[in-house]
Amino acid sequence: MALLLTGCSSDVAPEKAPVGVPGQGAAGPQSDAASTLRTSPSPTPVPSPAEIPDLGPETLAQIPAEARQAFVVTGEEADSYRSSAVLYSRADPAQGWEPVAGPWPAHNGMEGWTDFHVAGDRRSPTGVYTLTDAGGRLPDPGALLPYDEHPRFAVDGEGFFGEPLEGSFDYVVAINYNRTPGVSPLNRTRPLGLERGGGIWIHVDHEGPTQGCVSVPEEQMEELLRLLDPAMNPVIVMGDGETLGR
């Protein structure tokens, strides 16, 4: 249980011109002057690259230009622990984002969301964070991110509603909030200081709210591990709907 408490962005159409041979004068009385005019077709408008639905300009601006995968976790309300998750990808930035997995049911912190997370507030930090490292108690299911299999991911005890926590850390992806990227999720280095919390992960859902992490069902957690690709610089975009819409 202690581990859970610490781990958890035209051309202008040419004018109409008369058709005919210069010097022949105006159209004759049997012709329709309009028929002697040629109109160039209007250029086909180029659609703008698709943006991720329901994200406002402030949130979109936080997504790094090099990120080509975004795991978007949207909370129902600022104080709700229920949320949903969708993985988006943009193989071609010129064409924009497309959903590739989800929506999946998810949980977040017991007290909801916060723009300023501190240790023990039982809220999940809002924002955009990179995803670089994974691990778990169980063997690597085919993760593309570096994966640390370790018995220290074992956890027991009960959640807020008495649900068993066992297996919650069978698979995890570290969210790079107040941590050093490129190391195991178990690493306890806290660049912002211990008072700002840490150990915020995506992990296996235990059918209840978390201390601050994001959780999805085990099957979806395995799928996510197989999809998140370090070559695509994945990020997580997380927060309640109103905040993400800013």
Side-chain angles (χ1 to χ4, degrees):
M1 184 63 177
L3 182 58
L4 179 64
L5 296 176
T6 57
C8 202
S9 174
S10 66
D11 293 333
V12 178
E15 295 182 359
K16 298 179 180 178
V19 175
V21 179
Q24 287 188 339
Q30 301 302 318
S31 66
D32 183 353
S35 67
T36 67
L37 301 181
R38 179 177 60 201
T39 303
S40 298
S42 299
T44 302
V46 178
S48 300
E51 297 287 7
I52 299 174
D54 302 321
L55 299 188
E58 290 185 20
T59 302
L60 288 171
Q62 295 179 55
I63 300 177
E66 65 271 18
R68 293 188 289 129
Q69 285 182 322
F71 189 53
V72 180
V73 180
T74 307
E76 291 183 355
E77 296 179 358
D79 297 329
S80 172
Y81 56 80
R82 298 184 185 276
S83 50
S84 62
V86 180
L87 179 64
Y88 291 86
S89 175
R90 56 176 177 184
D92 182 358
Q95 294 184 2
W97 296 96
E98 295 182 354
V100 295
W104 299 333
H107 284 103
N108 52 271
M110 175 67 179
E111 303 297 332
W113 301 90
T114 180
D115 290 337
F116 192 85
H117 175 70
V118 295
D121 66 5
R122 297 179 177 179
R123 290 181 179 269
S124 298
T126 62
V128 178
Y129 306 97
T130 55
L131 302 172
T132 57
D133 306 284
R137 184 183 66 86
L138 296 182
D140 184 350
L144 299 178
L145 296 174
Y147 187 91
D148 178 25
E149 178 188 350
H150 202 288
R152 283 178 56 200
F153 285 103
V155 63
D156 56 18
E158 295 182 344
F160 291 103
F161 300 142
E163 74 279 10
L165 299 179
E166 184 178 359
S168 298
F169 299 158
D170 283 355
Y171 301 115
V172 312
V173 175
I175 297 172
N176 288 342
Y177 167 83
N178 198 17
R179 73 178 299 270
T180 302
V183 298
S184 168
L186 293 170
N187 187 285
R188 292 177 177 270
T189 302
R190 302 289 180 255
L192 300 177
L194 295 176
E195 70 279 1
R196 292 299 305 277
I200 306 296
W201 298 342
I202 308 168
H203 63 69
V204 177
D205 189 65
H206 48 78
E207 300 185 355
T210 71
Q211 294 281 347
C213 298
V214 169
S215 63
V216 296
E218 183 172 6
E219 183 178 351
Q220 282 68 46
M221 192 67 206
E222 291 185 51
E223 183 178 355
L224 184 65
L225 283 166
R226 298 188 187 107
L227 289 173
L228 291 177
D229 186 348
M232 299 183 74
N233 301 302
V235 298
I236 184 170
V237 182
M238 53 194 286
D240 60 279
E242 183 176 354
T243 296
L244 295 184
R246 295 189 296 213

